[in-house]
Amino acid sequence: MRRLLAAAVTAALAAALAVGTALGVVTVLNTTPEQPNTPLISYDTARPGR
């Protein structure tokens, strides 16, 4: 009986750890990194000088 209880507790802790890890990974993947608001390409809209 004691081994059965130990196995059940171990399985419950392993399941809780797996769920916590999965939720942590999802949270990390959903965070958006800070991105600079600078354009990669800019077009010159002024008229060329004559």
Side-chain angles (χ1 to χ4, degrees):
M1 185 67 176
R2 191 168 187 159
R3 281 187 167 182
L4 181 62
L5 179 62
V9 169
T10 302
L13 287 175
L17 182 62
V19 168
T21 302
L23 291 175
V25 167
V26 168
T27 302
V28 167
L29 290 176
N30 280 338
T31 58
T32 55
E34 290 188 32
Q35 297 177 359
N37 194 14
T38 56
L40 295 176
I41 300 173
S42 61
Y43 298 100
D44 187 20
T45 57
R47 289 185 164 188
R50 292 187 184 194

